[in-house]
Every structure is written in C-alpha cells, then in structure tokens.
Amino acid sequence: MLKTRLILLLALCVLCLQCNGANGDLPAKKPENAVVAKYGYEIVKSLPHDSNAFTQGLILVDGKLLESTGQEGHSSLRSVELETGKILKKVDVPSPYFAEGIAVLNGKVYQLTWQHQLGFIYDAQTFKRIGEFKYHGEGWGITTDGKSLIMSDGSNGLRFLDPSNFGVTKTINVLDGQTPVAQLNELEYIKGEIYANVWHADRIAVIDPENGHVKAWLELTGLMPPDAVNNEEAVLNGIAYDQASDRLFVTGKLWPLLFEIKVKR
Ligand SMILES: [Ca+2]
C-alpha cells in the first residue's frame, strides 16, 4: 500500500515538473494590448500663473521657472518667479514665429518654433540669442536626458537630436499597447522616463525612452475646473520637474494657476 502511494506521489511530481517545464521556464508574455497603469495625483500647492501665457514649454532651472509662450505676435521666452508668477526676465519672439517647447542643456536654452523648422538658442543666464538650428517637420515639445535633445512634432514619434550638430540619432514611436499615441506635446524627462502632454487631453503619458512604450497614464482630470478658463485651447500643457527638490509642476495654456502635484502610483 505504502509502495503504491509512493509511486503515485512520484508520478505526480514528474507531472508537475513537466508542467513547469512547459510554462515556467520562459517569462510570461505580456499581452499586446495590456492595460497600462493609471496614476492619480494630489495637489501640493496652487501657485499663480500668467493667464495670458499660451504655455508651450515649461522647465525648472535653479529654482526658477523658464517658460516659452506661443501664438504669433505673443511668443516669448521668460523667466518666472515660481512662488508669485512674476515675470523676472522676458524676450519676445518676433512674428512670424510661433514659439513652442524649450529645454536647457549645458547652459543653453533651446526653443522650438511650430512650423518654421527653425529653433533658437539662447544663453540660459542672459537670454541673449546666440544661435539657431534647423529640423524637419513641426516643432512641438522638447526636453533633454542630459545628453540628447528629445523633441515631439505632433505625431507619435519622439526624435533624439545630437546637440552638437542637431542630427537625429534615434527615433522612438510612442505606443499605448499597440495604439500609437499621436499629438505628443510638451515634454519633461523625469528620472529615466519621458512625461508627455497629449494635445487636448487631461492626462500625461509616462514613456519608456528606450522603446516608446507608455508605461503609465498620469490622469489629471479635474485639476483645473472647466469654468475657470474661457477658451477651448486653454488645455493642459506644461510639465516642469525640479530635480533638486524632487518636485513636479504642471500648468496649461492660459491657465491662471500652476500646480505642484504629487503623483499617486
Ligand atoms: Ca517641460
């Protein structure tokens, strides 16, 4: 009897090992349309923001906000006091240019323009214009991983540019599962991930810079009450990360407020 039980037990063990051999040796394949994570938010602080600023680029450098504003005839590069929204320094971008995103790398501000395939380079301290650069297609958002400039152009592609010659070194296609995420707008590189506004969406894509996969959506619905803005183009656009204090700020075009938020994962 004991012998029979032992044989049965042995047979069961062999079966289990075979099962593991078939399914356990390889990592489980991720479904192609796996639902990505959704992150929530908590408002840490609400701060004043110029409700005439058509925000197209937002970054935080040395505790000060740098902001690029768009629209022809109203475009600018400005330095803004974080706590008060007071404009500390501003240079206008003349017509016909429509300014877009900005990034700071090695003491220089790089500013895109929407449809002129031309970017401007400024000294980050003085805002003196010290150069220009060209690119194909439209310019929407721009950020940096500390080596490359990374730009969006309204499609689901993000281009990595070599800042020494503005050549494209890599392009990633941003996908939510298998679905392209087009109209990527203002960008921010945060701790190895790219955060991207999507034009007219109340959420931010958190993107893997290696392969373009959307790792999560930061859902920001309700951040700015709809009745607080009176323009259908007054949409969420503007992400700034302060590396020194690990703080995250977001705003929108023509929004009267800028929010420090905490991401709830
Ligand atoms: Ca940004």
Side-chain angles (χ1 to χ4, degrees), residues 57-59 102 142 186-188 238-240:
L58 196 72
I59 47 178
I102 46 169
I142 190 167
E186 221 276 319
L187 304 175
E188 191 77 8
I239 312 164

Side-chain angles (χ1 to χ4, degrees), residues 93-221:
V93 176
S95 287
Y97 299 107
F98 186 121
E100 290 277 346
I102 46 169
V104 166
L105 181 60
N106 299 327
K108 294 173 186 168
V109 181
Y110 296 87
Q111 182 180 46
L112 300 177
T113 63
W114 181 23
Q115 293 178 314
H116 285 85
Q117 304 189 29
L118 184 70
F120 300 121
I121 308 171
Y122 306 83
D123 179 292
Q125 291 299 319
T126 63
F127 282 8
K128 184 171 183 275
R129 211 162 105 182
I130 54 174
E132 297 177 351
F133 60 104
K134 291 183 177 172
Y135 46 86
H136 293 294
E138 297 191 352
W140 285 40
I142 190 167
T143 188
T144 178
D145 58 6
K147 287 182 192 163
S148 301
L149 295 166
I150 305 166
M151 67 176 280
S152 64
D153 58 12
S155 72
N156 77 315
L158 293 177
R159 271 178 268 175
F160 288 62
L161 308 179
D162 179 341
S164 69
N165 58 17
F166 303 99
V168 178
T169 57
K170 181 170 100 169
T171 301
I172 56 171
N173 292 311
V174 177
L175 299 170
D176 176 353
Q178 295 297 299
T179 308
V181 181
Q183 300 190 315
L184 297 170
N185 205 356
E186 221 276 319
L187 304 175
E188 191 77 8
Y189 188 88
I190 304 174
K191 293 187 280 190
E193 297 171 324
I194 300 170
Y195 283 47
N197 282 117
V198 179
W199 193 45
H200 278 268
D202 286 332
R203 58 185 193 166
I204 288 170
V206 179
I207 301 161
D208 185 335
E210 292 301 317
N211 53 30
H213 291 166
V214 175
K215 296 168 75 175
W217 286 103
L218 170 54
E219 301 286 350
L220 294 177
T221 302

